[in-house]
Each structure stands twice: as structure tokens, then as C-alpha cells.
Amino acid sequence: MKKIPKRTCIVCRSKLEKNEFFRIVRDENKDVIFDKTLKANGRGAYCCKNDACVDKLSKVKIVNNALKTDIQSEDIKSVIEEMKIELKKK
Ligand SMILES: [Zn+2]
């Protein structure tokens, strides 16, 4: 049987399959975007689909470390808002 690679939440370090997570990507402008398709180009990181982990993305140090970038907390605000909208859909 083929082994499915596990991804790690950058906030709480939980390991899950890729499609169980929200994905964020550092784009070519070094901005961080919410990758709803899970396959955007660029360096990616994963976050649990829950309020606790999504809220902690506002501590941008976690994001900056994971994506080797240097964004400010206001740069991640719209990403967090988009994730919250997705969470409410369920
Ligand atoms: Zn998590």
C-alpha cells in the first residue's frame, strides 16, 4: 500500500494529510497567500482547520520561520479572515 505523506501544522505541530489542512504559500513577491487549491507554486506551509491554530497565525514569527519570509502581522490578516470564512462554511 502506498504511504500518504503527512504534513505538519506550523502552529501546533499536528501531523495530518495535506487535504486536512489549510495551506499558505509564499508567492513570488514574498507575500503570504491562502492557497485554497493546495497546489499553488511557491514555498508552502500548513495550518489546522480550527480557530485556535488559525488565530495563532497572527503571530507572524511562526509564519516567517516556516516560509522563510519577513511579513508583518497586518500582512497575514486577510489570510486569517479568509480562513475564518472557510471555517464558518462547515
Ligand atoms: Zn494546528
Side-chain angles (χ1 to χ4, degrees):
M1 230 167 69
K2 216 178 134 192
K3 228 180 137 191
I4 299 158
K6 290 280 203 300
R7 312 292 158 143
T8 307
C9 170
I10 59 170
V11 178
C12 70
R13 299 278 152 198
S14 294
K15 285 186 168 43
L16 290 169
E17 284 169 34
K18 187 176 175 174
N19 55 12
E20 307 274 336
F21 280 131
F22 285 141
R23 184 173 190 249
I24 53 174
V25 167
R26 186 190 69 184
D27 70 11
E28 62 273 20
N29 303 316
K30 291 199 166 187
D31 288 326
V32 174
I33 54 164
F34 177 25
D35 171 24
K36 286 183 196 170
T37 67
L38 297 174
K39 48 193 168 201
N41 287 323
R43 193 182 172 90
Y46 297 87
C47 172
C48 299
K49 291 179 179 176
N50 64 49
D51 284 311
C53 285
V54 168
D55 281 334
K56 290 207 181 82
L57 291 178
S58 62
K59 300 194 187 303
V60 278
K61 223 178 143 190
I62 297 171
V63 178
N64 284 334
N65 282 342
L67 295 179
K68 310 243 181 292
T69 186
D70 193 22
I71 58 161
Q72 306 297 311
S73 50
E74 52 268 31
D75 299 326
I76 195 87
K77 261 188 190 154
S78 61
V79 170
I80 293 172
E81 275 163 27
E82 280 179 69
M83 286 179 178
K84 295 264 183 177
I85 291 166
E86 289 295 308
L87 285 175
K88 283 198 189 109
K89 281 181 188 169
K90 300 214 174 90

